[in-house]
Each structure stands twice: as C-alpha cells, then as structure tokens.
Amino acid sequence: MSQSCVPMSGQSSLVTRECDCLAHRFGNAADNPMRERRYPTDMTDAEWAVARPLLPVPGWLRGRGGQPEAYCHRQMLDAIRYLVDNGVKWRAMPADFPPWDRIYAFFRRWRDHGLVQEFHDRLRGQVRERAGRDAEPTAGVIDSQSVKADAVVGADSRGFDGGKLINGRKRHVVVDTLGLLLAVQVTAADTGDRAAAQTLLTRVVDAHHRLELVWADGGYTGSLIEYCLTALTLVIAVVKRSDDMRGFVVLPKRWIVERFFAHLMRTRRLVRDFERRTTSAEAMIYWSMTLLMTRRLARPHPSRV
C-alpha cells in the first residue's frame, strides 16, 4: 500500500499520511495527524494490507449509533501491539501514539463487543488457508498454563495452584494443529482443568462444528471424556507421559500447545497477569496472537520449483 509522507512545519515527529482505514474515510480521524513508523511492533505496509480488509466494521458505520472515531485504526492497532509486546502500563504509552485513554477506550470497546476475537478468527482462517488447510479445524489440543498474578488482580479471580505452586490465574486454551488459538478461558489458578475444559470445549464445539478430536494430557481424564463423547460428539485422546521417562521429552501433539505457551511468554504483557478483569486477560492473549498471524501472513509466499 503506497503512502505519502509530508513533514509538518515545526513538528518533525508528525506527518500527514494518506490512510484508507474506516476512521479516516468515514470518521473524524483526518483531524489528527499520523505518526511515523518507528517501533518494531508497528505494522508494515504488507501487514496493514493483510489486516485492513479483515477489521470489523464499527457500529457507528452500520447505523448502530455512537460517535465516529477520531483516531486512525492503524495507529490504534499499533498502540495496542506496542503495549502487549512490551508490557508497558497504559499511562506509559509513548507520546507519539494517541492519548492513552483513547487507546484504552478502543481496547475496551473491542473487548466488550468481541471485536478482537472476530478480528483474530478472521486472521486465523487466512493463516490456515495459506498453509493449505481448511479454514475450520477438525482437530485440536487442549492444555492450561498457570501464571503469577499482579497485585491488581483481586481475590475473586485469583487462586493457588498447588501442583505448580503458583498464586495467580490459569489460562485454559484450545489450539488447532498449527498452534493457532481456537478459544481461551482465564480462571483462578485453583480451578481444575477438567471443570474448565467442560465449559471451554462446549464453546469451541459451538464455534467450530467440524471439530472431532482433541488431544490432551493426563489431567483431562475421568468423566470429561464421557461428557465430551456423549454431549459434544467430541473424542478426547489422552497423550500420557510414561513412568520411565526422564528429563525433557517431546510428546506427540502436546508439543503444539507448549509452543503456543512459549509464544505467549515472549509477549511481555503476558509473562504475568496484570489485568484486573479476566476478560481483559483473554483479550490480551487474542491480541498477542494477532501479532504472530499478521507477521506470518505478510511474509512472501515461498517459491515452488
């Protein structure tokens, strides 16, 4: 996507730039100057070309009321990507981004209306199709990750995981065979895997009707297997670690979800749980995955000989 940059007089860090986002075309974003691309988390033109057609249409543009947005959607996405990847506080956002309270309002609106998940799911479908897969998965992997919680996390949504000796929250996730997120649920760390999996898998099956098989570890045995088979028509295949194994061993299929957790740990906002609400913690995970997928989609297709 071609963009023209013309420096403004007296403001070397601000530029006037042509943008095709909905806020510029139909909103009030033209009243605010654009910024130069300067951080590694800023979308390249190739990433924006991929993300632009997949962005949800704002409610005010569909006649649902509300005030037209006054800041460029690309700037807002860059700001949230910067926060998620670098782990800064909302009030510590760099000054060349829009005001932090406007960025947070954008984040909160996308969280409360499910727009970040909608955007994420569209990107996932594109990544799967580019990899030669169908947009809808037929198999997945389920697991959980306990992380320490910051002091802002209240006692109503935190707990102690006796197995991992962690006081905080637990992330229950289902990923496809490419390691892309299908669904996430954040609970207190003392919530059992089987109890959370029953709710999470119900959501996944409702959203992905072709899902037939889910691999899991030994913590998902018992009544959960029968429930999934009878109520959800879903097969849970348990991949257990044998008793004679010593040290690190790559287990079939389970390594896929472990690689997913490793990606989350590279996103500094997710190294601990800093969110007051579990819905915000879930939204941060979706935003983290959008960074991975836009970069993957922006890569040139490998040449086939």
Side-chain angles (χ1 to χ4, degrees):
M1 183 184 68
S2 62
Q3 293 183 332
S4 60
C5 301
V6 181
M8 298 177 61
S9 58
Q11 293 181 329
S12 58
S13 62
L14 298 178
V15 296
T16 301
R17 180 179 296 174
E18 297 177 1
C19 181
D20 60 347
C21 76
L22 295 177
H24 263 105
R25 292 172 60 191
F26 304 106
N28 300 323
D31 298 336
N32 295 296
M34 292 289 288
R35 50 179 289 275
E36 295 178 352
R37 182 181 182 275
R38 61 181 62 192
Y39 304 115
T41 51
D42 289 346
M43 283 187 293
T44 63
D45 288 347
E47 286 183 271
W48 175 245
V50 168
R52 165 65 184 83
L54 305 179
L55 292 177
V57 178
W60 52 264
L61 195 55
R62 291 183 289 182
R64 296 185 179 179
Q67 184 178 359
E69 290 165 292
Y71 291 95
C72 173
H73 287 162
R74 183 172 179 175
Q75 289 193 69
M76 289 297 190
L77 264 62
D78 283 344
I80 295 177
R81 287 160 61 101
Y82 179 92
L83 179 135
V84 173
D85 196 57
N86 293 282
V88 301
K89 300 177 181 178
W90 285 106
R91 289 173 173 81
M93 292 294 297
D96 58 324
F97 285 120
W100 74 267
D101 56 337
R102 295 298 88 208
I103 302 170
Y104 178 71
F106 183 90
F107 168 85
R108 183 180 58 205
R109 183 168 59 253
W110 276 45
R111 176 200 66 195
D112 295 344
H113 293 86
L115 300 181
V116 60
Q117 184 176 352
E118 180 182 340
F119 177 47
H120 166 275
D121 291 350
R122 291 174 180 175
L123 286 171
R124 184 191 61 233
Q126 293 286 322
V127 174
R128 287 185 57 85
E129 290 177 352
R130 179 169 180 176
R133 307 291 185 89
D134 191 88
E136 286 297 322
T138 58
V141 191
I142 187 172
D143 204 351
S144 66
Q145 178 192 47
S146 296
V147 291
K148 294 181 179 179
D150 190 67
V152 300
V153 177
D156 59 332
S157 63
R158 71 189 299 157
F160 184 76
D161 183 347
K164 302 293 180 60
L165 301 180
I166 290 179
N167 186 333
R169 284 178 174 161
K170 186 179 289 187
R171 300 163 179 162
H172 308 268
V173 302
V174 179
V175 301
D176 65 7
T177 53
L178 295 179
L180 303 176
L181 182 64
L182 299 181
V184 57
Q185 181 180 359
V186 176
T187 67
D190 56 358
T191 303
D193 288 346
R194 286 190 291 269
Q198 185 169 325
T199 304
L200 182 61
L201 289 173
T202 301
R203 286 172 43 197
V204 173
V205 170
D206 289 341
H208 306 280
H209 301 291
R210 296 187 59 195
L211 195 68
E212 301 174 352
L213 173 65
V214 171
W215 287 281
D217 61 24
Y220 295 90
T221 56
S223 60
L224 176 66
I225 296 179
E226 182 179 357
Y227 169 81
C228 291
L229 190 59
T230 57
L232 306 178
T233 318
L234 184 67
V235 176
I236 303 294
V238 177
V239 182
K240 292 186 177 180
R241 178 187 174 96
S242 62
D243 296 335
D244 57 350
M245 287 183 179
R246 295 292 183 270
F248 175 76
V249 178
V250 177
L251 297 175
K253 304 303 180 181
R254 283 174 52 181
W255 67 269
I256 298 174
V257 70
E258 296 298 340
R259 183 184 61 180
F260 169 83
F261 288 136
H263 166 75
L264 296 188
M265 291 296 98
R266 296 187 63 185
T267 310
R268 292 189 176 183
R269 183 81 180 196
L270 299 176
V271 172
R272 296 172 69 104
D273 197 318
F274 296 98
E275 315 308 322
R276 296 180 185 272
R277 300 174 54 175
T278 57
T279 52
S280 293
E282 294 168 359
M284 289 294 179
I285 294 173
Y286 282 117
W287 279 112
S288 175
M289 288 303 296
T290 63
L291 270 83
L292 175 70
M293 291 188 291
T294 55
R295 289 168 177 169
R296 189 173 296 181
L297 288 171
R299 297 171 186 167
H301 288 274
S303 58
R304 297 182 179 180
V305 180

